[in-house]
């Protein structure tokens, strides 16, 4: 009789959406920190960067819970492995945001060329787009399943995935631009400054890289 | 020996059996609606209780088989006391098994439980020759067929429903047209079922054309107009769900009504057998059932729903999140269709088994996000053991009663 409760296991999709919300929140908070960093308000930036770290912890906890609930006893609309790998990638997006926050906290920015700072800020803003799109993608995946894998919904999902890829492309371009800028300004920057900037850039572009990996996993979920 | 005290015992046991039926089965009729948040558990209990009682009291068969579904050869039971002891044993065994199954949360067939109980005492009394094995084979076949056919039916209905609504260029528009069609079609089945299951009609044609089609058309028009007046949302998903939500309350209510009309016989059949012996001193195959016994059965089921079903539906209402209204509707619709076609073909099919099959079918159509495989396995095992276990318990009780009696 309680069969209904038992028969339908908790599907991981609602928790996955919850997780992506936290991930998005983490990236958005990072962008705020970057804004203060750009404005040269180091004290305020520190406070917010610490918040990024806290949010990443929250995401981790949700991730653990989802993993624990996903036993092989379930018959799911999509392969369990795909869900687990997707979750891993989605979580990596928050991890990358946290890594960036760590680099921001490592030292006071001091005097950096304004064009360098601008590119970094831009990368931060694009990262939010990537995180937002990942959130949209998992919400849409839920809907794809809701609809019983209908063409229209799958098409909409592909469109989101395509957008994630294009954002990733854009950030890649910004990343290259930044690397060039660092070397063009080599005489104005110390070795440490260069290392610091390039690592911020690397971790920032990681956000969209992982977002793209997550999107690819969703594509696999739909193909099966 | 006096039969009256035994009549009292049987009445109490019949009541207990009815309670167990209410607890194990009736909750299922409403749980898709509760699970999809169409109604609250409290509303479900009230609706189910009232409809189960109405079904049992007003539409329960006034003539019932004393030996359910003709499992035993009645000519081989010459001593009326055997029928009395046997009925007590079968009722007690079925009740015990139902309570055990309910405790473990397994949806077993109440009909199979009572059949097991009856076969159990029959074999102890007169050996295996007394059992109508042809009937028994049919019953066993229904364990296997009901869930499979239920799953296939649900798979296709779900696919057709999503294809006709969500896969169109303009889902909102197609939802407006196709939702009334699907709901209307479901009510053709329900109208026909009402004639066959609730009114115990025999002629399928009469059912389809006198009840099914007119009801379907009326419901189609009502739904069509309701949607015309206000379509809840520009989002086809939310809009469609809202339409099916309302339809589901009605389909679930129908399931409860039909369940009361039919399954009350499982509880009162044996009571009627003892009543026949007590009043006429006869052991017959079919006997008239006084209204008060039907009322008793109906009341038992209603109390079962309210006392035990309530808890279940509450859990269900709070815990199932993955069952939407279209899916709940698909389950009800396919189960009803399968049961209808099966009764028309004369196959004994179990609603419980069909419903579980339908749930799995929707899962296979990738409509349900996660199904618990372990529970599916447990449920299937419980179906296979229902008849033997009820039979063994009944055999033991019967032997004991014959020994002391």
């Amino acid at each position: 009789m309680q069969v209904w409760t038992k028969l339908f296991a908790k599907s991981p999709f609602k928790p996955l959406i919850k997780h992506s919300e936290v991930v998005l929140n983490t990236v958005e908070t990072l962008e705020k920190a970057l804004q203060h960093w750009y404005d040269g308000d180091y004290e305020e930036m520190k406070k917010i960067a610490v918040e990024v770290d806290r949010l990443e912890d929250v995401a981790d906890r949700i991730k653990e819970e989802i993993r624990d609930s996903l036993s092989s006893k379930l018959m799911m609309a999509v392969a369990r492995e795909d869900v687990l790998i997707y979750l891993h990638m989605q979580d990596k997006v928050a991890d990358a945001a946290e890594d960036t926050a760590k680099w921001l906290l490592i030292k006071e920015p001091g005097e950096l060329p304004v064009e360098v700072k601008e590119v970094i800020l831009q990368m931060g803003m694009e990262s939010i787009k990537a995180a937002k799109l990942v959130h949209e993608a998992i919400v849409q995946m839920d809907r794809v399943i809701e609809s019983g894998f209908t063409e229209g919904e799958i098409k909409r999902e592909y469109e989101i995935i395509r957008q994630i890829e294009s954002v990733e492309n854009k950030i890649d371009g910004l990343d290259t631009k930044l690397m060039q800028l660092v070397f063009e300004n080599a005489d104005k920057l110390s070795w440490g400054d260069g290392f610091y900037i390039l690592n911020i850039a690397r971790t920032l572009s990681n956000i969209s890289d992982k977002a793209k990996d997550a999107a690819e996993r969703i594509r696999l979920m739909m193909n099966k | 020996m006096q039969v009256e005290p035994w009549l009292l015992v049987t009445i109490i046991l019949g009541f207990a059996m009815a309670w167990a039926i209410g607890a194990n089965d009736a909750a299922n009729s409403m749980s898709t609606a509760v699970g999809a948040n169409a109604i609250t558990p409290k509303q479900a209990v009230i609706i189910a209780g009232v409809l189960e009682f109405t079904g049992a009291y007003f539409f329960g068969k006034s003539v019932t088989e004393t030996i359910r579904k003709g499992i035993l050869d009645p000519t081989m039971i010459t001593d009326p006391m055997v029928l009395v002891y046997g009925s007590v044993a079968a009722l007690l065994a079925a009740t015990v098994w139902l309570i055990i199954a309910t405790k473990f949360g397994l949806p077993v067939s109440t009909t199979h439980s009572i059949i097991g109980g009856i076969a159990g005492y029959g074999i102890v009394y007169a050996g295996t020759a007394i059992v109508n094995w042809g009937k028994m084979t049919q019953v066993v076949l229904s364990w296997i067929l009901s869930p499979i056919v239920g799953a296939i039916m649900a798979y296709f209905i779900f696919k057709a429903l999503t294809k006709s609504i969500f896969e169109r260029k303009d889902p909102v528009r197609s939802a407006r047209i196709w939702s009334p069609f699907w709901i209307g079609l479901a009510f053709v089945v329900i109208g026909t079922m009402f004639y066959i299951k609730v009114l115990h009609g025999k002629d399928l044609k009469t059912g389809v054309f006198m009840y099914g089609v007119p009801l379907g058309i009326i419901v189609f028009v009502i739904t069509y107009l309701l949607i015309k007046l206000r379509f809840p949302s520009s989002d086809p998903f939310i809009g469609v769900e809202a339409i099916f939500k309302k339809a589901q309350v009605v389909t679930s209510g129908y399931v409860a009504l039909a369940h009361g009309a039919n399954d009350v016989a499982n509880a009162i059949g044996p009571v009627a057998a003892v009543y026949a012996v007590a009043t006429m001193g006869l052991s017959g195959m079919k006997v008239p059932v006084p209204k008060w016994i039907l009322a008793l059965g109906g009341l038992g089921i209603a109390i079962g729903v309210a006392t035990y079903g309530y808890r279940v539906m509450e859990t269900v209402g709070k815990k199932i999140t993955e069952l939407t209204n279209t899916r709940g509707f698909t389950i009800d619709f396919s189960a009803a269709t399968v049961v209808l076609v099966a009764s028309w073909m004369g196959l004994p099919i179990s609603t419980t088994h069909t419903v579980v099959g339908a749930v799995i079918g929707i899962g296979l159509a990738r409509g349900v996000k996660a199904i618990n495989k372990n529970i599916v396995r447990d449920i299937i095992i419980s179906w296979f053991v229902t008849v033997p276990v009820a039979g063994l318990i009944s055999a033991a009780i019967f032997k004991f009663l014959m020994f002391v009696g």
Side-chain angles (χ1 to χ4, degrees):
Chain A
M1 177 172 54
Q2 297 100 315
V3 62
W4 299 100
T5 336
K6 288 181 177 174
L7 199 58
F8 297 105
K10 284 269 178 201
S11 128
F13 281 86
K14 294 284 183 272
L16 278 179
I17 291 170
K18 179 95 198 134
H19 182 263
S20 84
E21 269 168 20
V22 178
V23 170
L24 174 59
N25 212 336
T26 314
V27 179
E28 276 172 343
T29 311
L30 173 71
E31 203 267 343
K32 266 185 224 149
L34 279 172
Q35 191 69 49
H36 287 290
W37 176 85
Y38 179 80
D39 297 340
D41 188 353
Y42 191 67
E43 284 313 305
E44 195 57 32
M45 188 220 79
K46 270 210 290 198
K47 273 188 225 157
I48 298 172
V50 169
E51 175 68 7
V52 173
D53 188 38
R54 191 192 68 84
L55 284 168
E56 195 272 336
D57 270 355
V58 175
D60 262 352
R61 249 177 291 137
I62 299 175
K63 179 187 74 180
E64 294 302 327
E65 272 175 40
I66 298 174
R67 278 189 183 161
D68 289 344
S69 66
L70 263 187
S71 74
S72 53
K73 293 170 201 157
L74 295 185
M75 187 172 97
M76 280 195 293
V78 293
R80 175 170 168 263
E81 289 70 29
D82 285 338
V83 173
L84 286 173
I85 296 170
Y86 170 79
L87 176 64
H88 180 69
M89 295 307 170
Q90 186 169 272
D91 196 61
K92 281 277 176 210
V93 174
D95 283 352
E98 192 208 15
D99 285 346
T100 314
K102 263 189 203 154
W103 277 102
L104 290 178
L105 285 167
I106 274 217
K107 75 181 211 82
E108 295 222 18
E111 284 303 307
L112 293 176
V114 84
E115 62 262 43
V116 166
K117 286 171 102 178
E118 258 166 14
V119 176
I120 285 182
L121 191 61
Q122 235 183 317
M123 284 177 82
M125 287 190 308
E126 291 297 323
S127 300
I128 289 192
K129 272 192 209 157
K132 263 196 187 135
L133 284 167
V134 168
H135 179 66
E136 261 179 53
I138 192 67
V139 170
Q140 179 61 25
M141 188 62 213
D142 190 48
R143 181 162 276 195
V144 167
I145 297 171
E146 272 320 293
S147 72
F149 287 75
T150 51
E151 286 301 322
E153 299 303 326
I154 290 178
K155 231 165 136 187
R156 244 164 262 163
E157 181 70 295
Y158 277 136
E159 177 53 28
I160 298 169
I161 292 172
R162 207 192 50 72
Q163 285 179 31
I164 293 176
E165 283 163 348
S166 105
V167 169
E168 195 264 348
N169 230 326
K170 201 165 171 192
I171 295 186
D172 262 2
L174 287 169
D175 193 22
T176 316
K177 190 174 165 195
L178 192 72
M179 288 197 279
Q180 282 168 345
L181 274 176
V182 167
F183 285 101
E184 275 166 24
N185 290 291
D187 44 338
K188 286 183 229 160
L189 296 166
S190 69
W191 176 88
D193 283 341
F195 192 69
Y196 168 73
I197 292 166
L198 289 176
N199 269 298
I200 289 177
R202 188 181 53 84
T203 50
L204 268 176
S205 69
N206 248 343
I207 295 179
S208 59
D209 273 353
K210 300 306 169 194
K212 194 183 118 192
D213 289 347
E216 260 160 22
R217 241 337 116 165
I218 288 189
R219 193 194 300 244
L220 283 179
M221 286 188 212
M222 286 189 301
N223 283 344
K224 275 178 193 166
Chain B
M1 196 192 161
Q2 277 233 314
V3 180
E4 277 72 30
W6 283 111
L7 181 60
L8 189 69
V9 170
T10 327
I11 287 169
I12 294 168
L13 283 177
F15 191 77
M17 172 77 177
W19 178 85
I21 293 174
N24 190 297
D25 259 12
N28 286 345
S29 70
M30 284 278 145
S31 43
T32 51
V34 175
N37 289 324
I39 41 172
T40 65
K42 213 175 215 160
Q43 288 170 326
V45 168
I46 296 166
I47 297 172
V50 169
L51 290 178
E52 290 274 357
F53 181 81
T54 310
Y57 183 69
F58 292 101
F59 303 108
K61 276 187 177 167
S62 49
V63 175
T64 197
E65 305 121 297
T66 56
I67 296 162
R68 194 79 183 116
K69 305 269 180 195
I71 286 296
L72 299 187
D73 177 1
T75 57
M76 286 175 77
I77 303 175
T78 41
D79 180 0
M81 275 327 277
V82 168
L83 200 63
V84 173
Y85 291 150
S87 298
V88 170
L91 266 182
L92 194 55
T95 309
V96 166
W97 171 240
L98 275 182
I99 291 173
I100 293 171
T102 306
K103 189 90 193 145
F104 285 100
L106 297 166
V108 295
S109 163
T110 54
T111 310
H112 293 171
S113 307
I114 200 76
I115 284 175
I118 287 167
Y121 87 76
I123 291 172
V124 167
Y125 175 65
T128 50
I130 194 173
V131 176
N132 182 342
W133 290 104
K135 281 268 180 193
M136 209 55 173
T137 314
Q138 275 192 0
V139 171
V140 173
L141 265 180
S142 89
W143 298 342
I144 301 157
L145 278 181
S146 324
I148 294 174
V149 180
I152 294 171
M153 186 65 95
Y155 181 93
F156 283 111
I157 291 178
F158 182 73
K159 279 283 172 201
L161 200 115
T162 47
K163 262 207 172 19
S164 63
I165 297 177
F166 299 127
E167 266 187 31
R168 290 305 166 97
K169 272 210 183 87
D170 185 354
V172 179
R173 210 182 91 88
S174 46
R176 279 174 212 251
I177 300 162
W178 283 96
S179 307
F181 169 78
W182 286 111
I183 295 172
L185 197 63
F187 276 88
V188 173
V189 174
I190 282 176
T192 314
M193 285 270 280
F194 181 82
Y195 170 75
I196 288 180
K197 284 274 174 182
V198 180
L199 301 178
H200 309 291
K202 288 273 175 279
D203 182 31
L204 189 76
K205 262 192 198 140
T206 316
V208 174
F209 293 108
M210 297 292 288
Y211 291 87
V213 175
L215 182 70
I217 292 171
I218 292 169
V219 171
F220 175 86
V221 172
I222 293 174
T223 320
Y224 190 79
L225 290 176
L226 273 180
I227 292 170
K228 261 252 147 87
L229 282 175
R230 59 191 171 103
F231 192 68
S233 159
S234 56
D235 182 333
F237 278 85
I238 299 168
V240 171
E241 291 302 327
I243 301 166
F244 281 98
K245 196 179 213 170
K246 293 187 182 70
Q248 233 207 318
V249 181
V250 185
T251 51
S252 300
Y254 163 75
V255 174
L257 186 75
H259 182 265
N262 281 280
D263 283 26
V264 72
N266 288 332
I268 62 152
V271 180
V274 178
Y275 180 78
V277 176
T279 52
M280 298 175 276
L282 298 166
S283 59
M285 174 71 178
K286 289 192 175 185
V287 291
V289 183
K291 270 287 181 197
W292 63 266
I293 294 185
L294 273 175
L296 206 75
L299 195 67
I301 296 180
I303 292 174
V305 176
T307 50
Y308 217 81
Y310 179 73
R311 275 178 31 203
V312 176
M313 288 200 245
E314 186 152 48
T315 348
V316 166
K318 282 176 186 160
K319 284 191 184 161
I320 298 186
T321 49
E322 317 305 349
L323 197 63
T324 58
N325 300 106
T326 35
R327 284 169 192 73
F329 172 83
T330 310
I331 293 169
D332 291 346
F333 183 17
S334 17
T337 311
V338 170
V339 171
L340 178 65
V341 173
S343 1
W344 171 59
M345 291 169 69
L347 297 169
I349 213 151
S350 154
T351 314
T352 313
H353 294 194
T354 314
V355 167
V356 173
V359 170
I360 296 166
I362 292 186
L364 292 177
R366 301 214 285 187
V368 174
K369 282 171 234 166
I371 294 176
N372 204 328
K373 281 189 220 161
N374 280 16
I375 304 302
V376 172
R377 192 199 56 207
D378 288 354
I379 291 170
I380 291 172
I381 292 173
S382 79
W383 291 348
F384 277 91
V385 299
T386 293
V387 170
V389 169
L392 284 175
I393 302 175
S394 167
I397 297 168
F398 181 72
K399 243 202 150 89
F400 173 77
L401 287 176
M402 288 298 270
F403 183 70
V404 274

